Amino acid sequence: MAVNSSNKSKIIYTFLAWTIGGLIFFPILWTLLTSFKTEAEAISASPSLFMFDWTLENYKEVLSRSPYFTHFWNSIVISIGSSLVGLLIAIPAAWSMAFVPTKRTKNLLMWMLSTKMLPPVGVLIPIYLLFRDFDLLDTKTGLVIVMTLINLPIMVWMLYTYFKEIPNEVLEASRMDGATIGDEIFYVLLPIALPGIASTLLLNVILSWNEAFWTLILSAANAAPLTAFIASYSSPEGLFYAKLSAASAMAVVPILILGWFSQKQLVRGLSFGAVK
Amino acid sequence: MGNITLKQVTKSFGDVNVIKPIDLEIRDGEFIVFVGPSGCGKSTLLRMIAGLEDTTSGNIEINGQDATDMPPAKRGLAMVFQSYALYPHMSVRNNIAFPLKRAKMDKAEIDKKIANAAKILNLDSYLDRKPGQLSGGQRQRVAIGRAIVRQPSAFLFDEPLSNLDASLRVNMRLEISELHKSLATTMIYVTHDQVEAMTMADRIAVFNGGIIEQVGTPLELYNKPNNKFVAGFIGSPKMNFIDAKSPDNDKVASIGVRPEHLQISTEKGMWSGTVGVTEHLGSETFLHVQLDGAGTFTVRADGECTLAYGDKIYLSADPSKIHHFDKDGVSINKV
Ligand SMILES: Nc1ncnc2c1ncn2[C@@H]1O[C@H](COP(=O)(O)OP(=O)(O)O)[C@@H](O)[C@H]1O
Ligand SMILES: [Mg+2]
């Protein structure tokens, strides 16, 4: 069997890729499998990968013990709401930075990014007190606000880089063609930037969906999203691996499906072929 | 109607003054070319006429109306960009229709205009493609199509051919010239290529460092350049310059002779020298001659020229073809 060197390296890379993929996916797979085990099997010292008594007991139990759909709905409102509000602020901001930059635009962008380097716990007390005084504790509005603020720097950065790639001349051409500012934005800029806007939106939905610091601290029963739902199975009455896994699976699967169907969009597309 | 008047127009970016006060009268229907080395402000001035850059001082009048502060959409001009600047998400048809839709033209009328433009520009079979699926030349045609459908009062071109390969460039040059003849609309055409300027223009404005050195027809600039800069910029190969005194005019500091105006002799002439590199183009031959005094001359000889490296020759020129310049490089009229 003659295997030439380029074929050999292809095999090695494929093997490496699958190994890394498997390593990354293994915890999720393990969680999914555990969610179908009995509690006894879940903590067994010699766990079996597939050969166990498959059961849906944990899901029934979890669904009957906590209001899954309330948490699910809260997660949706918080993640999508904060991403939409974020876009509303980030689009004009990124637009002005990309198309009418000033001497300090770069500094402003770096400063915005630097806020992401701050450990969130450093501002825990002031934010908590603000939320308390404005009656925002355990409200979806409060969580939407905080998630918007947390993700805004990333949104502006992403949109800024997408807008930067749109050649100014295309926008100028539309001005020559008689477009008003509204026409220019709606018929030219937004359609060209749509893939970028969509991937910004998707990434932020995912980031907010998975955020578990602020959502746990600032919510209790009413506004708690799925992260709080998972957390509720991790402590007080001892450990319930199987139920914890079932709760995790129910929290993670919706966003995994969203990610799966939008992967093309997430890995951004559209070439700007019209501008050589 | 499409006459454009620039009155003492200037432009500064911050502290940098890139357009010195410029006065220029562009006549209705003429093909005027702005030519000059890169960085001399041609594009900036064109963009000011378009309204894409604001004017630092002075006035721009379009059709007798002050347009200095008018937004681009209101000026009734069309522009073809070097990068084509097509809308990448729209089909060719929609690219061309875009300005018509902005003008709220009705659908039937738009279709008629698109069909007409597509026929003139050979775009019929590409109307439903996206710009990304077209070649450079086709994209350029779409950009021109988008400009002509609106029937603007003037066309502005900014180096429209510089992204095309050499043979396509020659074709498009002819097409644009033909378009100008058939539309008889004012065209302002920016290029750094003096060949494009000479072949296409009714009048040429030669730019240098933010000022216009001279405006005139191609032959005026070729025969009567105002100064050394214009003399050297117009014509290919470049005019030869040497420092020289003229016996009958003490103001003369240097003289210039075009390569095509030098005669070669093996016996006698005004200058003697040694043949250096020879470039055979088939129809003609360029000789680079090292003069015995100082400097080198480029000489245009016919295609059959057999002179070779190291040959001793003499050069001379008809006195009426010799240009005289003073110490500042300004032309001195024939002595
Ligand atoms: N937006 C700008 N900001 C600052 N300087 C500019 C800008 N646009 C052009 N310039 C400067 O103005 C000068 C003229 O540029 P341009 O008009 O593009 O030259 P040309 O088209 O003749 O090559 C150049 O020195 C260029 O660097
Ligand atoms: Mg230019």
Side-chain angles (χ1 to χ4, degrees), chain B residues 13 18 37-44:
Chain B
F13 290 109
V18 293
S38 78
C40 65
K42 311 173 297 279
S43 297
T44 303

Side-chain angles (χ1 to χ4, degrees), chain B residues 228-248:
Chain B
K228 245 172 131 166
F229 179 82
V230 177
F233 197 81
I234 298 292
S236 171
K238 274 172 63 124
M239 183 184 280
N240 301 299
F241 296 107
I242 46 169
D243 294 336
K245 293 268 170 246
S246 162
D248 11 74

Side-chain angles (χ1 to χ4, degrees), chain A:
Chain A
M1 221 171 70
V3 180
N4 63 33
S5 71
S6 90
N7 248 344
K8 223 184 267 168
S9 66
K10 206 169 166 186
I11 291 170
I12 292 171
Y13 282 129
T14 310
F15 179 75
L16 270 177
W18 276 98
T19 310
I20 293 170
L23 276 176
I24 292 172
F25 186 66
F26 187 74
I28 297 173
L29 178 71
W30 192 252
T31 306
L32 285 175
L33 289 173
T34 307
S35 73
F36 293 105
K37 293 176 180 176
T38 62
E39 290 294 353
E41 268 170 321
I43 54 169
S44 150
S46 53
S48 139
L49 198 55
F50 295 109
M51 307 304 287
F52 56 85
D53 293 326
W54 292 70
T55 170
L56 286 173
E57 237 357 85
N58 300 311
Y59 286 92
K60 272 193 211 137
E61 177 88 28
V62 164
L63 282 173
S64 70
R65 267 182 37 183
S66 16
Y68 172 76
F69 289 102
T70 310
H71 295 303
F72 181 75
W73 176 244
N74 287 345
S75 272
I76 294 211
V77 171
I78 293 163
S79 58
I80 297 184
S82 68
S83 300
L84 287 178
V85 175
L87 271 190
L88 228 54
I89 304 170
I91 288 178
W95 156 284
S96 63
M97 288 182 193
F99 296 110
V100 265
T102 67
K103 272 189 295 206
R104 308 214 188 291
T105 298
K106 279 266 144 62
N107 298 347
L108 189 59
L109 279 164
M110 285 318 292
W111 173 74
M112 280 173 38
L113 200 63
S114 73
T115 63
K116 298 301 291 178
M117 296 164 197
L118 173 90
V121 72
V123 288
L124 175 61
I125 305 287
I127 295 223
Y128 190 87
L129 294 179
L130 279 172
F131 265 56
R132 188 196 61 190
D133 294 349
F134 283 95
D135 271 337
L136 289 169
L137 286 174
D138 199 19
T139 61
K140 289 198 272 288
T141 317
L143 288 178
V144 166
I145 292 174
V146 82
M147 293 317 302
T148 303
L149 293 178
I150 283 172
N151 287 335
L152 207 50
I154 297 179
M155 298 190 102
V156 173
W157 258 96
M158 283 182 76
L159 290 173
Y160 172 78
T161 46
Y162 293 129
F163 287 172
K164 260 303 202 209
E165 276 184 47
I166 298 176
N168 214 348
E169 289 199 342
V170 174
L171 301 181
E172 288 176 344
S174 77
R175 262 167 254 166
M176 293 302 295
D177 282 345
T180 61
I181 289 187
D183 293 340
E184 181 181 327
I185 294 176
F186 284 106
Y187 296 118
V188 184
L189 181 87
L190 288 187
I192 297 178
L194 198 59
I197 294 173
S199 36
T200 307
L201 185 74
L202 278 166
L203 187 74
N204 278 278
V205 168
I206 292 171
L207 286 177
S208 323
W209 185 281
N210 294 334
E211 204 282 337
F213 179 77
W214 294 107
T215 49
L216 286 183
I217 284 168
L218 299 173
S219 75
N222 292 328
L226 286 169
T227 44
F229 163 74
I230 301 174
S232 71
Y233 283 89
S234 72
S235 41
E237 316 115 69
L239 283 178
F240 296 99
Y241 280 140
K243 287 184 200 67
L244 179 62
S245 299
S248 299
M250 285 196 286
V252 164
V253 164
I255 205 74
L256 270 186
I257 294 173
L258 177 74
W260 181 265
F261 281 108
S262 56
Q263 50 179 317
K264 276 233 183 64
Q265 205 52 260
L266 281 170
V267 182
R268 65 176 302 229
L270 195 81
S271 67
F272 295 89
V275 187
K276 207 177 140 90

Side-chain angles (χ1 to χ4, degrees), chain B residues 9-238:
Chain B
V9 168
T10 71
K11 174 76 187 178
S12 300
F13 290 109
D15 303 333
V16 189
N17 180 219
V18 293
I19 301 286
K20 314 272 153 56
I22 279 184
D23 282 291
L24 183 65
E25 178 91 36
I26 297 163
R27 301 170 198 138
D28 184 31
E30 82 171 327
F31 195 123
I32 186 162
V33 174
F34 293 176
V35 73
S38 78
C40 65
K42 311 173 297 279
S43 297
T44 303
L45 187 63
L46 192 76
R47 291 167 53 81
M48 288 161 72
I49 295 172
L52 296 172
E53 298 283 355
D54 40 59
T55 302
T56 305
S57 69
N59 283 79
I60 297 174
E61 283 177 17
I62 299 173
N63 298 329
Q65 233 196 326
D66 186 4
T68 317
D69 297 317
M70 255 188 216
K74 294 260 164 11
R75 299 191 183 199
L77 310 175
M79 182 145 168
V80 176
F81 294 85
Q82 178 174 357
S83 64
Y84 318 130
L86 301 177
Y87 309 122
H89 56 299
M90 296 183 198
S91 64
V92 169
R93 182 189 306 280
N94 285 333
N95 263 279
I96 300 177
F98 188 80
L100 303 177
K101 286 183 183 161
R102 300 287 79 73
K104 305 266 184 312
M105 197 175 275
D106 69 72
K107 179 114 184 28
E109 185 81 2
I110 291 179
D111 287 343
K112 219 170 71 194
K113 290 201 173 235
I114 292 176
N116 194 28
K119 206 172 79 211
I120 298 177
L121 294 163
N122 276 322
L123 287 168
D124 294 292
S125 32
Y126 308 109
L127 281 177
D128 295 310
R129 291 208 197 162
K130 293 271 173 69
Q133 300 163 293
L134 301 178
S135 71
Q138 290 162 341
R139 287 179 204 179
Q140 191 55 267
R141 284 205 179 79
V142 178
I144 294 174
R146 186 173 65 180
I148 60 175
V149 285
R150 309 173 40 201
Q151 293 168 314
S153 56
F155 291 94
L156 313 178
F157 292 91
D158 191 358
E159 312 236 6
L161 306 185
S162 53
N163 285 340
L164 302 179
D165 60 50
S167 67
L168 202 52
R169 200 146 60 207
V170 175
N171 285 341
M172 285 303 289
R173 205 163 80 194
L174 282 173
E175 279 189 44
I176 293 176
S177 293
E178 239 159 61
L179 202 62
H180 177 247
K181 294 279 179 290
S182 66
L183 298 173
T185 306
T186 312
M187 290 188 178
I188 308 177
Y189 187 105
V190 165
T191 179
H192 64 270
D193 178 357
Q194 66 90 25
V195 178
E196 269 176 33
M198 291 297 279
T199 51
M200 301 172 86
D202 293 328
R203 282 199 308 158
I204 298 175
V206 182
F207 281 67
N208 183 24
I211 59 156
I212 295 181
E213 297 274 6
Q214 189 173 0
V215 186
T217 64
L219 286 183
E220 276 166 13
L221 298 188
Y222 179 84
N223 291 327
K224 293 201 173 112
N226 274 352
N227 53 43
K228 245 172 131 166
F229 179 82
V230 177
F233 197 81
I234 298 292
S236 171
K238 274 172 63 124

